[in-house]
Amino acid sequence: MVYNRKAMLNKRVDMLNGALLPNIMAFAIPLMITNLLQMIFTAADTIVVGKFAGQIPLAAVGATGSIIFLFTALLQGLSTGTNVVVAQRIGANDKEGVSRAVHTSILMGLIGGIFISILAFICARPLLTVLSTPGDIIEYSITYMRVYLSSAVFISEYNFLSGILRAKGDTKRPMYYLMIAGVINVLLNLVFVIVFKWAVVGVALATAMSQVISAVLCFIALCNDKDDTHFEFKYLVIDEALCKEIVRIGIPAGLQGMAFSFTNIIVQSAINSFDSSSIVAGNTAAANIENFIYIGMMAFCNATVTFTSQNVGANKKERILPIFNITMLLSCVSAFVIGFLAWYKGRFFLSFYTSEEAVIDYGMIRLFYLAVFLFLNACLDVFAGSLRGMGKSTSPTLIMMIGIIGTRLLWISTVFKQYGTLESLYICFPVSWFVTIVIYLVVYIFHMKKFLRN
């Protein structure tokens, strides 16, 4: 295979040369649009089921969110490992390493997705039972979770394949593919829920089918590409050394996601303890609105990881700190602006999900304590992305374990136990973000000084 760096960089964002700000924006803007589309399509699922199937199915879908993320977090972490490993080899002009990393990643994604599908089917009922899911929604929740995660192979492969495309600066094609899949998802939602009256089954099935479409389109793209990310079945084998490297970076990243998910499950359990479908539905609607705040955060975090990885591979250490500074500023500003707007116009946005005033009132409580302060979470993501791009994946996970899980569990077992209100529960989020930022700042300064000396 021919690897022509100049030719490829003419088609993709050049992460190794030129001014960083315009290149970061060129990389991030398609990702923002991708994230926006993803949030719109996810919101469409919730809006359709809430408006046309009712409060109970809406609450049932929301009750599964943190558990589904727990199952998929490890796969997303491994795809981060793929992104870093492929990007570093592109930066180092290691054409053979790029090809082996691509084929190793795709096979790992296939195996991981099959495992998650089986595990989710077995564990759906026990997990939802342990979390005290209200009796009037639990059967709906089990059905939704099993149908949704039947497509885990394709969810996995989309994450891995889009990670490979991002590693070489291509963020546009995943955007186009998600757009196609998302439109089909919305149309299928309307047909399955409104026409066929399938409620949660219809929403889950429509989402699963859209995951298949987006993964297949990404796969076709790599089959047609002529650079070293080109896929051929005859090269589909796991390279042991590269697999270990992907796992070394990806598993801690996945564990970090699982840590977030674990604490969210604890919070969901606390919400379920109120035994109110209105509270669960309000929490679900507000959480969907909060997802839109992640539009810029996720894009700039991905930019942090990929730009840092390529420049580490090319041994351009002088660009690492400027990458961090630019993405940190952009991520925090975008999160604060969108988060404030989400809260300020919260009742208007929540009305898209439900007409019930009680559900809207409960949703507003969550938006105040989370949406307005989500820029703190943006800081954490950039810290973690920069360290992972430098190949330091264990430190971010340990920091998250201490700062996020430790703080929230302590808070729930003390403050929330004492007061027992939604307000006293939700405030554990900004408190844990602030504590974790302080820890991150100390650790990042240490790692950066060490990195620049070597």
Side-chain angles (χ1 to χ4, degrees):
M1 286 180 283
V2 177
Y3 185 91
N4 188 321
R5 180 192 294 269
K6 289 185 178 180
M8 193 180 83
L9 289 178
N10 285 335
K11 298 178 183 178
R12 319 295 182 200
V13 174
D14 187 350
M15 304 183 203
L16 302 176
N17 304 287
L20 283 169
L21 180 59
N23 283 328
I24 287 173
M25 293 304 297
F27 179 92
I29 287 174
L31 275 180
M32 289 183 203
I33 297 172
T34 301
N35 295 337
L36 175 61
L37 292 171
Q38 205 160 25
M39 301 312 169
I40 289 173
F41 299 141
T42 301
D45 289 357
T46 312
I47 290 170
V48 169
V49 78
K51 287 288 190 180
F52 298 101
Q55 175 180 311
I56 298 298
L58 173 62
V61 171
T64 66
S66 55
I67 303 176
I68 287 174
F69 186 75
L70 178 66
F71 277 101
T72 58
L74 192 58
L75 297 176
Q76 292 176 356
L78 287 171
S79 71
T80 298
T82 291
N83 179 258
V84 171
V85 169
V86 174
Q88 285 185 351
R89 274 150 184 77
I90 289 174
N93 200 17
D94 179 6
K95 55 185 180 180
E96 184 61 30
V98 171
S99 179
R100 286 187 284 110
V102 165
H103 290 85
T104 296
S105 299
I106 290 173
L107 190 51
M108 288 174 67
L110 177 64
I111 296 169
I114 292 172
F115 175 76
I116 291 299
S117 286
I118 296 171
L119 189 64
F121 187 86
I122 296 171
C123 296
R125 183 178 295 276
L127 281 173
L128 287 164
T129 301
V130 167
L131 293 178
S132 304
T133 303
D136 55 349
I137 68 174
I138 189 168
E139 293 300 326
Y140 289 102
S141 296
I142 292 167
T143 300
Y144 178 82
M145 184 172 161
R146 285 176 171 172
V147 175
Y148 183 98
L149 287 176
S150 66
S151 65
V153 169
F154 297 96
I155 296 172
S156 175
E157 287 296 356
Y158 176 78
N159 285 327
F160 278 80
L161 293 165
S162 61
I164 292 167
L165 292 172
R166 287 197 309 271
K168 60 180 180 178
D170 182 357
T171 54
K172 290 183 179 179
R173 284 186 293 178
M175 175 185 69
Y176 299 144
Y177 303 151
L178 186 66
M179 189 181 300
I180 294 168
V183 169
I184 293 173
N185 181 25
V186 172
L187 294 176
L188 290 176
N189 272 331
L190 296 172
V191 173
F192 291 162
V193 176
I194 299 175
V195 179
F196 295 162
K197 308 296 184 184
W198 288 350
V200 294
V201 173
V203 173
L205 187 59
T207 303
M209 293 173 69
S210 70
Q211 298 285 1
V212 174
I213 293 168
S214 58
V216 168
L217 289 173
C218 283
F219 179 73
I220 292 172
L222 285 186
C223 288
N224 291 332
D225 281 356
K226 302 304 180 184
D227 55 43
D228 289 301
T229 62
H230 172 73
F231 175 83
E232 292 187 43
F233 280 102
K234 64 182 180 181
Y235 297 124
L236 191 60
V237 65
I238 290 182
D239 181 288
E240 185 177 348
L242 286 172
C243 179
K244 287 180 179 179
E245 190 171 351
I246 291 170
V247 167
R248 180 181 64 80
I249 297 170
I251 290 294
L255 290 175
Q256 176 180 315
M258 292 175 73
F260 269 104
S261 182
F262 176 74
T263 56
N264 288 339
I265 288 174
I266 300 299
V267 171
Q268 184 67 53
S269 181
I271 290 168
N272 293 344
S273 70
F274 288 97
D275 198 24
S276 166
S277 58
S278 294
I279 291 177
V280 177
N283 183 75
T284 300
N288 269 266
I289 293 172
E290 287 162 22
N291 285 338
F292 286 91
I293 306 171
Y294 286 90
I295 290 168
M297 290 169 56
M298 290 190 296
F300 293 121
C301 179
N302 281 320
T304 307
V305 173
T306 311
F307 273 72
T308 302
S309 299
Q310 276 209 16
N311 281 276
V312 167
N315 200 32
K316 293 192 173 185
K317 295 182 178 181
E318 71 281 359
R319 292 170 66 88
I320 305 303
L321 192 56
I323 290 169
F324 171 84
N325 291 335
I326 292 171
T327 54
M328 177 65 80
L329 177 63
L330 294 173
S331 185
C332 290
V333 169
S334 69
F336 180 77
V337 171
I338 301 173
F340 182 81
L341 179 63
W343 167 74
Y344 185 69
K345 293 293 184 180
R347 302 193 74 87
F348 170 74
F349 293 131
L350 286 165
S351 68
F352 284 97
Y353 295 84
T354 180
S355 306
E356 300 184 27
E357 283 299 316
V359 175
I360 292 175
D361 289 340
Y362 288 127
M364 284 299 297
I365 295 173
R366 175 173 175 124
L367 285 177
F368 176 75
Y369 285 99
L370 272 77
V372 175
F373 296 99
L374 205 57
F375 72 93
L376 297 173
N377 194 10
C379 294
L380 306 183
D381 290 341
V382 176
F383 273 122
S386 183
L387 288 171
R388 290 203 171 93
M390 291 186 282
K392 307 290 183 182
S393 196
T394 303
S395 295
T397 301
L398 292 176
I399 293 170
M400 292 294 186
M401 293 285 188
I402 297 169
I404 298 296
I405 293 184
T407 302
R408 290 181 189 175
L409 290 181
L410 179 62
W411 187 275
I412 290 171
S413 64
T414 55
V415 178
F416 174 66
K417 186 177 180 180
Q418 174 70 28
Y419 294 98
T421 63
L422 275 179
E423 291 85 350
S424 67
L425 174 63
Y426 287 140
I427 201 173
C428 76
F429 285 88
V431 169
S432 65
W433 292 331
F434 180 78
V435 170
T436 310
I437 285 173
V438 174
I439 302 172
Y440 251 129
L441 185 61
V442 175
V443 174
Y444 188 80
I445 292 172
F446 170 78
H447 276 302
M448 180 57 70
K449 287 182 178 179
K450 185 177 178 181
F451 176 77
L452 293 175
R453 282 199 307 265
N454 294 336

